[in-house]
Amino acid sequence: MKNNIKYLAILALGLVACEPEFDAPIDEAGVYTSGEADFSNYVAVGNSLTAGFADGALYITGQENSYPNILSQQFALAGGGEFTQPLMADNTGGALLGGTQILNNRFVLAFDAEGNPGPAIYTGATPTTEISNNLGTSFNNMGVPGAKSYHLDAPGYGNVAGVAVGAANPYYARFASSADATVIDDAVAQNPTFFSLWIGNNDILSFATSGGVGEDHNETGEGNPANYGSNDITNNATFDIVYRGLVTKLTSNGAKGVLLNLPSVTSLPFFTTVPTNAVPLDAQTAAFLNSQFVAYNTQVLPGLAQFGLITPAEAVKRQINFEAGQNFVTIVDESLTDISAAIQGPPFNLDAQTAGLLAQLRQATSADLIPLTSAGNIGVDLTGDGTLITGVSVPLGDADVLTEAEQAAIASAQASFNATIKDVATANGLAFVDVKTILSQAAGGGIPFDSGVVTSDFVTGGGFSLDGVHPTPRAHALLTNAILDEIEDTYGAALPSVNPGDYGTITLNNEVN
C-alpha cells in the first residue's frame, strides 16, 4: 500500500514537460530613472525567501537568481551600485561545521522504478561550504534562511560557537560582523540608500510545516521570544513591536524601501499536493475495516456521548467509515477529547493499545492538509501482517496533518502580521508589495507571462522549487516585476521589467553545477 500512496498526486504526473522557449527580454526603450529613490546602495533584509534558498537548501544558483539580485540588476540601470551576496561554495547545497556535515544537500528531481518523479536529496557530491569560515564582511543580501522577525535583532544570532547547539544560525555565522552582532545592525551599518524587507513568514511557517505541533502564542499570551520554541507562532503584539523596530532602524538615515507581506502558507504546494483521501481500498478490504469499527461507531461513541464525556457532535465527527475507492486517512486531532482513559474502564473495557489508537481518532476531511513530507508515512504496515497500517487502522500523528483548527490559527496570525506590514508601509511612505494576492493568483489558476503561465502545482507549475515552499528563479523574476511596479508607483521611478521566461524552474536532472 505504501508504494501506491507515496506522493500520490505527484506520481500521476509522469514525465515533466519540457520548458518552453521564449523570446529575448522585453525591450522597454527609454531613459531609466530612480525617481525619488536612490538605488546606489541597496540592502535586502529577510529570511530564506530573500537569500535565494530553494530545493531545501542554499546554493549558488539559487542565490544568483534571488529576487534581490535580479532587482539589483534593474537598479543598476538607474544608478544602482554593486550588489554583493554571501555565496555558498558550491551548488550542492549542504554545509559543514568543523568538517562535519550539518546541513542537508539540496533536492533534485529523481524518478522511481516506474518512472514517476519526486524530490530526492542530491548524493552526487559532498558540500564544501564550511560554516566556521567567516567571510569577514557584510553583504548587500542580508537574507538569513530560518530567521524569524525577532531573530533579526537578536545579538549572537551569528555566533558560530552557538551553531552546534542550535543557539545561532549557521548561515548568518558565515558573515556576521562579530559574535554578538545582529542582522539588522549589520544591515544598517552599510548605510543603505534603499532597502527591501520581507520577514515574518517563519513566524508562522515553522508551525505549519511541523503539522502544528508548536504553541500558538496568540493563545498562550506569551510575548517574550526567549520563551518560544522553534515551531511556535509569534504573538501578534510581539511581531508588531519587532517589525516596527526593524523599519525604524532601516529608515533612520532617510533610506527609502519596499516592504513585502506574507503569503498564505497553506496554499503552498508543500501542503496542497498530497490528498487527504490518499488511501485506495477495494470493496473487500473496506468491508473488513468497517467490520472492525462497528462496535466503535455504534456503541462506544454513542455511549461516550450519553455519559457526557463527548458531545453528540464530536461523536459524529469521530465516526470511521471506509468504502471502495479513495478513502480519507485516519488522523490524530488534538482538538478532540482524549477518550483513552474512559474507554479502558467499564462498560467498554478496551485494552490499552486499542484505547490509545482511538484516543483522538477521526478521519481527515478535504479541509485538512497533509504536508509533503508526511506522504511517506501513509500506508506503512507497522506489523508486517497488514493489521496496523498508518492512516488506516493507526492514525497519522499530529505532525503529519495540519487540521482546520491549526490552519485557522495560522490564518489569524498572518492577517495580523500583514496588517502591521501594510500599516508600517503607509506610515513611512514606503512601497508595499502584496505577495499574498500574488501567490493566491498562482494557486488559483496561474500568473500568465508572454506565452507561459506560472502556477503553484508541485513540480510542473514552475513557481515552486522541489521543497514545495521556496520559489523557483522564474517565480523570483515574477516577484521582481511586482516589486518594480510598486517602486515606480511609490517613487516615480522608471525601470524595465524582466522576462520570467528567461529564468528557469526546477532542475530536471541530477547535474547541479
Side-chain angles (χ1 to χ4, degrees):
M1 182 178 291
K2 179 179 178 182
N3 290 335
N4 292 330
I5 293 174
K6 186 176 181 182
Y7 299 115
L8 190 63
I10 306 170
L11 302 187
L13 294 173
L15 294 175
V16 179
C18 296
E19 296 285 345
E21 294 184 359
F22 297 90
D23 294 333
I26 300 171
D27 181 16
E28 298 185 17
V31 177
Y32 304 126
T33 65
S34 61
E36 298 175 2
D38 178 355
F39 303 133
S40 59
N41 188 19
Y42 164 48
V43 174
V45 181
N47 51 37
S48 56
L49 297 168
T50 294
F53 193 99
D55 301 318
L58 190 65
Y59 55 91
I60 295 173
T61 301
Q63 292 175 284
E64 291 175 338
N65 288 283
S66 63
Y67 83 84
N69 198 47
I70 300 172
L71 193 62
S72 72
Q73 294 165 11
Q74 306 310 102
F75 286 170
L77 301 173
E82 181 185 13
F83 189 82
T84 59
Q85 301 192 97
L87 295 176
M88 300 291 278
D90 52 50
N91 274 314
T92 299
L96 313 170
L97 179 63
T100 300
Q101 185 165 355
I102 62 168
L103 298 174
N104 287 334
N105 289 2
R106 62 185 283 190
F107 291 126
V108 291
L109 189 64
F111 296 84
D112 63 17
E114 288 75 40
N116 300 305
I121 292 179
Y122 175 61
T123 58
T126 300
T128 56
T129 302
E130 171 58 53
I131 295 300
S132 62
N133 292 338
N134 187 279
L135 300 177
T137 184
S138 294
F139 294 85
N140 293 84
N141 192 331
M142 297 292 292
V144 179
K148 300 187 179 188
S149 59
Y150 51 84
H151 287 146
L152 299 185
D153 203 18
Y157 191 56
N159 185 349
V160 69
V163 170
V165 295
N169 185 295
Y171 298 103
Y172 183 42
R174 297 184 64 229
F175 62 95
S177 64
S178 66
D180 60 352
T182 69
V183 176
I184 192 64
D185 287 342
D186 276 355
V188 172
Q190 299 179 68
N191 196 30
T193 59
F194 194 88
F195 68 89
S196 61
L197 177 63
W198 195 9
I199 196 68
N201 289 280
N202 290 330
D203 293 68
I204 50 179
L205 181 63
S206 58
F207 178 88
T209 55
S210 69
V213 299
E215 296 280 354
D216 176 9
H217 291 301
N218 293 304
E219 289 188 0
T220 68
E222 178 61 66
N224 184 359
N227 298 323
Y228 288 3
S230 61
N231 295 323
D232 294 353
I233 295 178
T234 301
N235 178 271
N236 293 343
T238 298
F239 178 84
D240 187 87
I241 293 170
V242 169
Y243 193 88
R244 292 179 189 277
L246 296 173
V247 175
T248 295
K249 288 190 174 185
L250 287 167
T251 57
S252 60
N253 67 344
K256 302 184 185 301
V258 56
L259 307 182
L260 291 81
N261 75 356
L262 313 179
S264 297
V265 297
T266 51
S267 65
L268 301 173
F270 183 85
F271 298 102
T272 60
T273 299
V274 181
T276 51
N277 63 333
V279 181
L281 298 174
D282 57 33
Q284 181 178 0
T285 304
F288 170 75
L289 290 170
N290 285 334
S291 70
Q292 305 304 301
F293 283 99
V294 169
Y296 174 71
N297 289 334
T298 63
Q299 298 176 35
V300 175
L301 292 177
L304 291 171
Q306 181 180 356
F307 297 149
L309 297 175
I310 61 174
T311 66
E314 184 172 324
V316 172
K317 189 175 185 179
R318 298 179 69 126
Q319 292 275 324
I320 304 296
N321 294 287
F322 297 98
E323 60 185 21
Q326 292 301 128
N327 288 262
F328 288 99
V329 298
T330 56
I331 66 172
V332 171
D333 184 346
E334 291 191 331
S335 69
L336 297 177
T337 306
D338 186 343
I339 62 172
S340 57
I343 60 180
Q344 287 186 66
F348 308 112
N349 298 316
L350 297 180
D351 62 87
Q353 181 186 38
T354 301
L357 293 174
L358 299 175
Q360 292 173 304
L361 178 72
R362 70 170 171 88
Q363 278 182 293
T365 70
S366 56
D368 297 306
L369 298 174
I370 298 179
L372 194 64
T373 49
S374 298
N377 295 334
I378 302 173
V380 176
D381 187 344
L382 300 178
T383 58
D385 59 8
T387 58
L388 295 177
I389 298 175
T390 57
V392 185
S393 50
V394 177
L396 292 179
D398 180 37
D400 289 320
V401 181
L402 199 62
T403 65
E404 288 185 81
E406 292 165 342
Q407 293 173 53
I410 293 167
S412 177
Q414 180 214 33
S416 178
F417 293 178
N418 280 349
T420 290
I421 295 170
K422 176 62 173 176
D423 183 66
V424 172
T426 301
N428 290 274
L430 300 172
F432 169 78
V433 177
D434 186 2
V435 182
K436 182 178 185 294
T437 296
I438 295 172
L439 181 57
S440 295
Q441 183 181 352
I447 302 174
F449 66 94
D450 293 351
S451 58
V453 62
V454 169
T455 75
S456 60
D457 293 340
F458 189 53
V459 176
T460 60
F464 287 89
S465 68
L466 291 171
D467 58 31
V469 172
H470 295 91
T472 61
R474 185 165 296 170
H476 276 285
L478 284 170
L479 179 59
T480 298
N481 285 341
I483 294 172
L484 290 170
D485 287 343
E486 296 302 327
I487 289 174
E488 290 184 342
D489 289 346
T490 304
Y491 302 117
L495 295 164
S497 60
V498 299
N499 184 359
D502 293 335
Y503 296 83
T505 56
I506 62 171
T507 302
L508 298 180
N509 55 55
N510 207 30
E511 298 298 324
V512 301
N513 291 309

